[in-house]
Amino acid sequence: MSVLDEIVDGVRADLAHREAQVPLADLRAALADVDPPRDPMPHLRAPGSSVIAEVKRRSPSKGDLAEIADPAALAAEYAAGGAAAISVLTEERRFGGSLADLRAVRAAVDTPLLRKDFVVTEYQVVEARAAGADLVLLIAAALDDDLLRRLHDLAGELGLTVLLEVHDEAETERAVALGTELVGVNARNLKTLAVDPDTFGRLAPHVPDDRVLVAESGIAGPVDVKRFVAEGARAVLVGEALVRDGAPRETVAAMTGIEA
Ligand SMILES: O=C(O)c1ccccc1NCC(=O)[C@H](O)[C@H](O)COP(=O)(O)O
């Protein structure tokens, strides 16, 4: 079984508990009390690089990364550094995140928030919106065409922006065919967990210019950002380098506004 399959199995088990506690109809009803979603696209389309800064405690590839006792405080640093969006990992078993983290960050910053998880059901999309997310990650490798379209459409109905993540040519073609505006190229191979920095440059030419490309994983600093901007990225998604960094605000600022 692949790492992705193992993660998704755990996600489904945890989800079953939450669905038993709060049925989908109740979750949908709760959306009436949630502020309208923020649109991240104007910031992501602005000239120069944008940063999607991630709240990430641990990962299958690296183990423990940072304690992050106060995710809201870290998010406030990211926002002060000029992050275009903040990614909050909500997967619990392998990444140490939670929906409580997402809610805490929502209460602390006005920056658009990405629910970063392994979303495989409509319930999780509604849950993202109910917890205050403005964007939701969909991973092409985890979804067949039919489910991907259904989740993509539901996100659109709820006003959520989709970040559709791809890893290879076939997934990129699916993302382009779906018409997704925001496409993330993840350099991390989900089978081996190895990061290949050449992945972005290989896949970017397959994506039309009207889409916004995000380079994801293994980005250590402004030199990497400049490389990906030169290859067509408008934004970078950065986790490890920021949570291990002693100065996340300054590092986000240093990665922002870089031109090709
Ligand atoms: O980070 C992992 O080890 C990982 C393993 C399996 C599936 C997904 C994984 N990471 C999710 C991400 O996409 C990253 O958190 C994100 O791109 C930031 O990466 P990094 O800057 O390298 O922390």
Side-chain angles (χ1 to χ4, degrees), residues 82-108:
I86 296 171
S87 165
V88 182
L89 269 156
T90 56
E91 198 279 341
E92 301 188 13
R93 298 182 183 213
R94 309 296 292 273
F95 293 86
S98 67
L99 282 163
D101 284 352
L102 183 57
R103 288 190 210 97
V105 171
R106 174 73 297 151

Side-chain angles (χ1 to χ4, degrees), residues 42-88:
H43 195 152
L44 292 170
R45 284 191 177 278
S49 57
S50 295
V51 177
I52 303 175
E54 188 153 280
V55 176
K56 182 177 186 181
R57 289 195 179 84
R58 59 174 186 264
S59 73
S61 59
K62 299 287 179 77
D64 290 337
L65 297 171
E67 200 170 325
I68 315 183
D70 187 349
L74 177 60
E77 287 297 299
Y78 290 161
I86 296 171
S87 165
V88 182

Side-chain angles (χ1 to χ4, degrees), residues 29-40:
L31 296 184
D33 300 325
V34 180
D35 287 344
R38 296 148 184 81
D39 181 2

Side-chain angles (χ1 to χ4, degrees), residues 7 54 56 59-61 95 116 118 165 186 188 190 193 216-218 237-240:
I7 294 172
E54 188 153 280
K56 182 177 186 181
S59 73
S61 59
F95 293 86
K116 189 89 168 348
F118 298 80
E165 182 175 291
N186 199 332
R188 183 171 285 108
L190 292 184
L193 299 188
E216 300 179 25
S217 293
L237 195 157
V238 188
E240 179 179 352

